[in-house]
Amino acid sequence: MASLRKCLEKLLPKGSILKGASHAEQGITFSISKDRNDSVIGIKLNPFQRERYPEEKIADAIFVCHGENQKIILIIIVELKKGNKEKAIKQIVNTRKLLCASSKLAGLFHSAELRNLRPFNGRNHNGKVVALIIGKGQLLQQKIAAENKKNPDLEIYGHSTNNYNKSLVELYNEFKSWTN
């Protein structure tokens, strides 16, 4: 994962790579606890948005994860939102579109270079992305379900809490249908 971190540092604006496996804003925290051989790289999207896509509202962060015994990389888009959850859904969808539209980012996540990095050995994210909206309040489950139907390569989940902390193993289990 150190090689992936180096690739991302070259590609992204300075200050985009998070130091740990968590991100917090507005009193809301998303964090992943990991085992010694798990890899988690967090990317704060604010610097990326300001530099490359100032007109688009995008999510707060992306986490690129690989569990020690997992077959694929798990890519998680994270939006921490106190207020308008409908806006959060739009930000998630915009982020996914920008990830795929950005030839540098899409190229990185689908590149032979990434797939050949240890520990991936030929695997990527199976063309799927998971998104989490974290924050107290009504989560608009019907709108989330409708958006999930429109985007088969994106699965949005909402969690009404101000502190979301799961282990990487729990995340792979929660998204099991995507990670097999």
Side-chain angles (χ1 to χ4, degrees):
M1 206 61 148
S3 297
L4 176 59
R5 182 176 291 276
K6 286 179 185 175
C7 289
L8 290 171
E9 285 172 347
K10 289 178 193 173
L11 183 65
L12 298 170
K14 189 173 182 154
S16 296
I17 306 290
L18 296 167
K19 290 190 187 336
S22 66
H23 182 63
E25 284 184 11
Q26 306 174 34
I28 304 170
T29 302
F30 169 84
S31 63
I32 300 172
S33 51
K34 57 189 184 97
D35 290 333
R36 190 169 148 246
N37 293 323
D38 292 341
S39 299
V40 176
I41 297 175
I43 303 165
K44 186 176 180 179
L45 293 178
N46 290 349
F48 185 71
Q49 177 180 355
R50 282 193 294 276
E51 183 178 291
R52 306 238 171 98
Y53 299 99
E55 69 285 349
E56 294 285 346
K57 295 294 182 195
I58 60 176
D60 295 318
I62 296 174
F63 287 82
V64 181
C65 312
H66 186 260
E68 180 180 20
N69 296 314
Q70 299 299 327
K71 294 179 182 177
I72 67 162
I73 298 167
L74 185 60
I75 298 176
I76 305 170
I77 300 171
V78 176
E79 175 58 25
L80 307 175
K81 186 65 80 182
K82 272 196 173 185
N84 187 339
K85 300 301 189 289
E86 197 164 341
K87 184 178 173 187
I89 295 169
K90 184 170 175 59
Q91 287 174 263
I92 294 282
V93 171
N94 285 346
T95 304
R96 186 218 148 266
K97 286 178 186 173
L98 291 174
L99 280 173
C100 294
S102 169
S103 59
K104 284 186 175 180
L105 283 175
L108 175 68
F109 288 124
H110 297 274
S111 69
E113 179 184 8
L114 173 63
R115 287 193 307 270
N116 292 329
L117 289 175
R118 290 183 184 192
F120 306 120
N121 299 327
R123 295 162 260 162
N124 65 17
H125 65 100
N126 279 354
K128 298 175 182 177
V129 177
V130 173
L132 297 172
I133 300 171
I134 312 294
K136 287 280 190 186
Q138 185 181 6
L139 287 171
L140 308 171
Q141 295 297 345
Q142 289 178 328
K143 291 190 185 231
I144 289 173
E147 202 58 54
N148 287 339
K149 282 184 182 180
K150 285 195 274 184
N151 295 293
D153 59 343
L154 174 68
E155 185 74 24
I156 302 171
Y157 296 86
H159 295 276
S160 181
T161 181
N162 282 342
N163 189 9
Y164 183 93
N165 180 11
K166 288 206 175 181
S167 72
L168 190 53
V169 170
E170 288 175 303
L171 289 170
Y172 270 99
N173 286 336
E174 186 171 339
F175 311 126
K176 197 171 204 75
S177 65
W178 284 55
T179 57
N180 289 330

